[in-house]
Amino acid sequence: MGDLDMFKRVCCWAVTLFFACILGPGLSETVFAAKSVPVSDFEFFADDDGRYDFETVSAPAFAAAFQPYPHRTISLGITKTVYWLRFRIPPRESGETAADSQFFQLDNPNIDRIDLYVPQAKAAVSGAPYLAKAVGVSRPAANREIWDNTWVFFVPPDYRQEQYWYLRLESSSALRMSAKLWRGNTFFTEALYKNMGFGLFYGILTAMLLFNLFTFFVLRDKAYFYYVLYLAFMLLYQLQVHGYLRLWLDLPYRLYNAVFWLWLAGAFMAAICFTGKFLQLSRADTFWRRSREILMATALLQGALGVWGYNIPANHIAHAMGLAGPLLFMTLAIASYRRGFRPARYYIIAWGVLMAGIVTWVLAAYWPALTGAENYLLTATAAETILLSFALGDRVKILLGKEAVLQQNMQYYQGLSMTDELTCLYNRRYLARKMGENIAWAKQREMPLTLMLIDLDHFKFYNDEYGHMEGDKVLIRLGEVLLRVLDASQPAFRFGGEEFVVILPDMNCHDALQVADRIQRNLRDEVFSPAADVRITVTVSIGIAELRRPNDSAESLFRRADEAMYKAKADGRNRAVCF
């Protein structure tokens, strides 16, 4: 019932987080829709060879080359083609003056090169009809006009509203973005909320990373190690793909680009290793082994292509891996769950949430109708890390439970291997080990030690007269007497037949004789009825040997106890003798 309740709670969390992925970006856009003005009505021209310059493209004779762009959001796919766009920004609202601040924003932080050409009203003074602004991932961070993870430009107060603005876009990542015009201080308000939201998600990823890293150091479970690697690479990837890392590390573009692809390849490979370890998949499984080899090779290929600057094929491979990887992981998890591996159910939910975000992210590169794809993926990633932590916790709980059961079984069978089945005392096999341990302990601390050998008197006659079943009852009763009289530090053993052995640490002959007397008195109080109208008691003869000589061994001590026991029998039985 407890597992079912946990499963329901995780499902509720998953549904909540999923709807957060779906509704969160939309609500954010709704809140700030009134504060920003979307820029649309684009016209575009595909410069396949990248051979046209701004003077050519902006000339009146070139206007016929531009075609209307049918979507509000710019989405041109992953391509080597350079795209030129021209557009007009919305006119100022009534009551606004040229002194009121305006900002133009392109919200994709991963575009390699962005050239914006703004028409100037005072071209005669400046000598140029357009003001050129050049930014992008491949260009120095100092080119940014506003320190933001996206590309934000000041709109000059004296721009010509009737003239086209021109935008040149070149990138090896998906050419997808929306363009917005912000008025007054609304952009800074939106940036504050946006950064708080990103901080929340990055905080979740960091918290999950540190928590699972600590858990790995405690449990030393390799599943946690691979999961921590996956979280670390995903955190770095998300910081980079959303433009925040570029704000802090103004590395040369080739190095920055290589690091990006190495982190993404590392995230793929860590996810593959984590899946195999978490689901306890064996390399003997042909399907898993071949799938693992293909995924690993593809991840390495994607990373190598990206590092060497072949970003476009690397991007296509990464999108394919983003779809195929989680789908394979979910398939394997479903198969593991059907085989009885219960933690796989949380794993299925976690990758299902991420899969929704990845599908949205991948399709957004080719489908302009999708909006807020980057927010979907980030939220889905944060949700997945929490759900996978739940899955790992459930896995550890089940594995620890199995280990506890195994430990109990080991203790049970170990007890069987050390215990006499009839009397429940220790057996002869265990006696040899305990004798050596106790003698070594006594010699090291110079403490006394005695060995007691107990033999039932006339037991052969008892067996012959009343049968072995009745004889076994006597042996059982003697075992019960020994357990009752002796304490935990004084182990008793059935040596064989009717002979029993007791080790008495920290006791000399005088103390041992008192223990022997208690055993004999307790046994005499036991009355047996082996036959109708027969009531009988039994006695024992006890031989005791004390560890006195420096060269005493288990063999010599046992030999003297045996001699003492025969002396007790020779003296009339039902007595104890100590040598």
Side-chain angles (χ1 to χ4, degrees):
M1 188 66 182
D3 288 336
L4 182 60
D5 290 340
M6 172 61 78
F7 183 67
K8 289 179 179 177
R9 286 196 293 270
V10 171
C11 287
C12 289
W13 273 100
V15 171
T16 302
L17 291 168
F18 178 76
F19 277 106
C21 296
I22 299 299
L23 298 177
L27 290 175
S28 175
E29 291 181 3
T30 301
V31 169
F32 292 103
K35 300 180 180 180
S36 65
V37 181
V39 177
S40 56
D41 297 329
F42 296 103
E43 296 178 358
F44 78 104
F45 165 70
D47 184 0
D48 295 327
D49 301 322
R51 57 193 175 91
Y52 293 97
D53 57 18
F54 174 67
E55 286 71 19
T56 303
V57 170
S58 61
F62 203 84
F66 282 89
Q67 302 295 321
Y69 187 72
H71 306 290
R72 295 174 63 88
T73 299
I74 302 169
S75 184
L76 302 167
I78 301 173
T79 176
K80 293 181 179 180
T81 301
V82 174
Y83 279 95
W84 289 89
L85 294 99
R86 69 177 190 174
F87 57 94
R88 294 186 179 94
I89 66 170
R92 296 183 184 276
E93 295 179 349
S94 60
E96 284 188 328
T97 66
D100 294 324
S101 300
Q102 292 191 104
F103 305 94
F104 178 70
Q105 180 189 29
L106 299 172
D107 62 3
N108 185 341
N110 295 300
I111 306 302
D112 293 344
R113 294 178 182 84
I114 300 173
D115 296 283
L116 179 66
Y117 298 91
V118 182
Q120 297 188 92
K122 299 179 181 179
V125 177
S126 63
Y130 281 86
L131 176 64
K133 302 184 180 188
V135 294
V137 178
S138 64
R139 289 165 170 164
N143 288 20
R144 295 175 185 263
E145 296 184 356
I146 293 181
W147 203 249
D148 189 72
N149 66 310
T150 61
W151 311 108
V152 185
F153 308 87
F154 284 111
V155 177
D158 56 348
Y159 72 92
R160 288 179 291 167
Q161 295 188 14
E162 72 282 359
Q163 293 293 323
Y164 282 109
W165 292 42
Y166 286 85
L167 190 61
R168 182 184 186 275
L169 301 175
E170 181 180 358
S171 188
S172 54
S173 63
L175 279 171
R176 174 186 172 82
M177 70 199 79
S178 61
K180 296 177 182 177
L181 182 68
W182 298 87
R183 293 183 169 126
N185 292 322
T186 54
F187 166 75
F188 298 104
T189 304
E190 188 272 346
L192 173 64
Y193 285 108
K194 175 189 70 176
N195 291 326
M196 287 174 61
F198 275 110
L200 171 65
F201 292 124
Y202 291 138
I204 291 173
L205 293 179
T206 304
M208 292 296 101
L209 189 152
L210 294 176
F211 171 75
N212 287 284
L213 180 62
F214 173 77
T215 308
F216 164 70
F217 283 123
V218 171
L219 298 179
R220 299 293 176 177
D221 186 338
K222 283 189 178 180
Y224 278 95
F225 173 72
Y226 291 128
Y227 184 52
V228 167
L229 283 180
Y230 170 71
L231 281 175
F233 285 126
M234 282 301 289
L235 175 60
L236 293 170
Y237 168 76
Q238 291 289 352
L239 283 169
Q240 197 159 356
V241 81
H242 290 284
Y244 285 95
L245 198 64
R246 192 60 172 161
L247 292 176
W248 308 327
L249 294 178
D250 191 14
L251 299 174
Y253 175 69
R254 290 292 298 271
L255 177 59
Y256 181 82
N257 183 68
V259 168
F260 171 82
W261 290 111
L262 287 175
W263 283 343
L264 186 56
F268 280 130
M269 290 188 287
I272 295 164
C273 294
F274 168 67
T275 297
K277 201 68 181 176
F278 179 89
L279 297 177
Q280 300 178 337
L281 301 173
S282 171
R283 292 194 178 184
D285 183 337
T286 304
F287 176 75
W288 164 240
R289 186 179 71 252
R290 290 179 179 174
S291 299
R292 184 179 185 275
E293 291 170 354
I294 292 172
L295 287 176
M296 282 289 192
T298 308
L300 288 172
L301 175 63
Q302 168 248 295
L305 288 172
V307 168
W308 285 102
Y310 297 98
N311 289 357
I312 290 179
N315 255 306
H316 288 302
I317 293 174
H319 281 79
M321 285 276 289
L323 290 174
L327 184 60
L328 174 65
F329 299 157
M330 289 177 65
T331 302
L332 293 167
I334 291 170
S336 294
Y337 179 69
R338 293 182 67 180
R339 288 195 299 266
F341 187 60
R342 290 186 299 167
R345 52 188 171 175
Y346 303 128
Y347 189 87
I348 295 167
I349 298 171
W351 281 105
V353 171
L354 183 63
M355 186 73 179
I358 290 176
V359 169
T360 306
W361 171 258
V362 172
L363 293 181
Y366 311 100
W367 188 13
L370 283 175
T371 59
E374 64 282 354
N375 295 331
Y376 289 119
L377 181 59
L378 180 64
T379 312
T381 301
E384 183 226 16
T385 60
I386 297 173
L387 292 168
L388 283 181
S389 295
F390 287 164
L392 274 170
D394 187 62
R395 173 182 177 272
V396 169
K397 175 185 174 183
I398 290 175
L399 291 180
L400 289 177
K402 289 182 177 179
E403 185 178 351
V405 172
L406 179 62
Q407 190 68 26
Q408 289 176 357
N409 291 337
M410 288 178 61
Q411 290 175 355
Y412 172 73
Y413 288 113
Q414 186 179 20
L416 287 180
S417 70
M418 299 186 306
T419 305
D420 175 64
E421 184 178 0
L422 182 65
T423 63
C424 295
L425 300 179
Y426 292 122
N427 58 22
R428 182 171 181 170
R429 185 186 300 110
Y430 191 52
L431 171 63
R433 193 174 104 189
K434 292 299 288 183
M435 279 284 290
E437 292 175 356
N438 279 271
I439 290 174
W441 181 87
K443 287 182 176 180
Q444 183 180 2
R445 292 166 178 76
E446 298 182 351
M447 302 290 288
L449 175 75
T450 53
L451 181 70
M452 180 183 292
L453 185 59
I454 305 169
D455 189 87
L456 282 159
D457 295 329
H458 304 296
F459 189 66
K460 184 178 183 306
F461 170 79
Y462 193 96
N463 267 339
D464 293 342
E465 182 72 17
Y466 303 112
H468 288 281
M469 294 285 290
E470 294 300 324
D472 286 349
K473 293 179 181 178
V474 174
L475 296 174
I476 293 170
R477 196 77 61 85
L478 176 55
E480 294 172 350
V481 168
L482 292 175
L483 291 174
R484 186 166 64 244
V485 171
L486 303 171
D487 62 35
S489 66
Q490 300 165 338
F493 308 81
R494 185 185 178 194
F495 187 69
E498 70 272 21
E499 289 185 324
F500 295 78
V501 174
V502 176
I503 300 175
L504 299 171
D506 200 19
M507 280 195 176
N508 53 28
C509 269
H510 175 73
D511 299 327
L513 286 170
Q514 293 182 10
V515 174
D517 182 61
R518 291 201 301 273
I519 292 172
Q520 289 173 322
R521 282 190 287 106
N522 274 268
L523 186 59
R524 285 197 298 268
D525 291 339
E526 301 289 333
V527 179
F528 298 89
S529 299
D533 300 327
V534 175
R535 294 175 63 81
I536 191 172
T537 60
V538 297
T539 61
V540 291
S541 296
I542 301 176
I544 303 169
E546 182 178 347
L547 183 70
R548 291 179 177 176
R549 305 167 190 170
N551 60 345
D552 257 342
S553 64
E555 291 78 10
S556 62
L557 198 62
F558 192 90
R559 186 170 56 251
R560 292 208 309 276
D562 191 50
E563 292 172 358
M565 187 266 291
Y566 277 105
K567 178 71 167 72
K569 284 188 177 292
D571 289 346
R573 293 183 171 83
N574 190 26
R575 65 191 64 231
V577 175
C578 184
F579 284 174

